[in-house]
């Protein structure tokens, strides 16, 4: 089922946001190369459980405005986007659920604005300091982070041969048509890669503030880009209850690949 979206003026952007349902608000934040549609298999279960769902296209993605400069994607600005969105909607506190780059933003948001987060559920990506401390195994899995620092070349590489490199690296045919359609629009692929270019230091710094709200991480064993350790080791950066749940066999996009496992767990973690 498709849910309508609306455009809101948020932190100087026209932000495209899905808002549905009534009840305690759950903010869903997507990553690269996604839009809010990556949560399509979670929205109805959340509504059925009595939650309000808020799922934006983050800056540069989907139907949200696309600033041109690399500096416009710096993580402090991305955090300000979420804060401004909550302020526009007059929401004091949310249950925050985030995946991939959304999870990076989510960790930063929870550090900076714990008073606005009732609990945080990151999918796939652990605390930035745990990621940076992940050793050689994580560096090898995250090789693309270094490639993305180059100008123009990553855009050319990913689209070469009718997106052959992209399809090979992603290895998720179910989502490819959607990604190709959205990222083929002028500037959208560059905007997504600019998240990595503007925040390279976050992948290297082994220090970071502790999170003071409950954190319930979810990791999938079929993730090709992240190690399980960087999620488990996030516990040492959380001064609050912490759990790490494992979804066996699912790929990096676990909410799409294994919703039958993710959704019951997500609902449990939202209630616990």
């Amino acid at each position: 089922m498709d849910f309508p979206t609306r455009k809101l003026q948020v932190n100087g952007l026209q932000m495209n946001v899905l808002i549905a349902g009534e009840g305690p608000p759950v903010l869903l934040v997507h990553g690269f190369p996604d839009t809010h549609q990556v949560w399509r298999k979670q929205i109805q279960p959340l509504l059925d459980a009595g939650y309000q769902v808020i799922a934006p296209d983050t800056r540069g993605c989907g139907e949200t405005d696309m600033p041109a400069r690399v500096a416009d994607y710096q993580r402090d600005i991305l955090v300000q986007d979420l804060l401004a969105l909550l302020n526009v909607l007059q929401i004091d506190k949310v249950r925050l659920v985030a995946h991939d780059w959304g999870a990076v933003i989510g960790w930063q948001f929870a550090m900076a604005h714990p008073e606005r987060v009732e609990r945080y559920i990151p999918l796939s990506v652990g605390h930035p300091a745990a990621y940076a401390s992940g050793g050689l195994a994580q560096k090898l899995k995250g090789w693309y982070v270094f490639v993305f620092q180059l100008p123009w070349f990553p855009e050319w590489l990913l689209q070469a041969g009718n997106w052959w490199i992209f399809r090979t690296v992603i290895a998720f045919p179910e989502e490819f048509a959607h990604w190709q359609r959205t990222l083929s629009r002028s500037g959208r692929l560059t905007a997504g890669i600019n998240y990595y270019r503007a925040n390279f230091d976050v992948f290297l710094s082994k220090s970071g503030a502790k999170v003071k709200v409950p954190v319930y991480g979810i990791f999938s064993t079929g993730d090709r880009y992240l190690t399980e350790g960087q999620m488990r080791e996030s516990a040492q950066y959380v001064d609050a209850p912490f759990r790490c749940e494992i979804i066996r066999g699912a790929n990096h996009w676990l909410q799409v690949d294994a919703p039958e496992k993710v959704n019951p767990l997500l609902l449990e973690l939202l209630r616990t």
Side-chain angles (χ1 to χ4, degrees), residues 71-92:
D72 291 323
Y73 297 87
Q74 205 276 335
R75 59 186 175 277
D76 288 345
I77 298 175
L78 302 174
V79 167
Q80 291 167 17
D81 286 348
L82 295 189
L83 181 63
L85 175 60
L86 296 186
N87 289 341
V88 167
L89 296 176
Q90 298 183 320
I91 294 173
D92 290 332

Side-chain angles (χ1 to χ4, degrees), residues 43 45 85 87-88 94 109 116 127 144 165 198:
I43 294 170
L85 175 60
N87 289 341
V88 167
V94 294
F109 187 82
R116 307 301 291 269
H127 188 285
Y144 56 92
I165 293 290

Side-chain angles (χ1 to χ4, degrees), residues 206-254:
K206 297 181 180 181
S207 62
K210 291 195 174 184
V211 173
K212 300 184 184 301
V213 303
V215 176
Y216 308 114
I218 306 178
F219 186 82
S220 47
T221 58
D223 198 309
R224 301 176 66 179
Y225 318 105
L226 296 153
T227 64
E228 185 175 322
Q230 53 85 41
M231 181 64 82
R232 291 196 180 277
E233 292 303 313
S234 298
Q236 62 184 301
Y237 302 100
V238 178
D239 277 344
F242 177 86
R243 281 172 61 180
C244 178
E245 299 289 342
I246 305 299
I247 302 292
R248 299 290 170 189
N251 69 20
H252 176 70
W253 290 273
L254 60 167

Side-chain angles (χ1 to χ4, degrees), residues 108-180:
Q108 300 288 340
F109 187 82
M111 291 180 219
H113 301 286
E115 75 283 356
R116 307 301 291 269
V117 181
E118 193 271 343
R119 67 189 62 193
Y120 178 39
I121 303 177
L123 277 62
S124 306
V125 179
H127 188 285
Y131 179 100
S133 301
L136 180 60
Q138 182 54 68
K139 296 296 189 295
L140 291 174
K141 281 198 165 191
W143 60 269
Y144 56 92
V145 172
F146 300 90
V147 175
F148 282 172
Q149 303 310 308
L150 301 172
W152 69 261
F153 177 73
E155 287 91 330
W156 173 84
L157 182 67
L158 291 178
Q159 296 177 80
N162 190 29
W163 296 79
W164 182 82
I165 293 290
F166 183 93
R167 285 184 283 120
T168 301
V169 171
I170 295 295
F172 194 18
E174 179 180 348
E175 291 293 274
F176 173 69
H178 169 68
W179 288 326
Q180 184 183 32

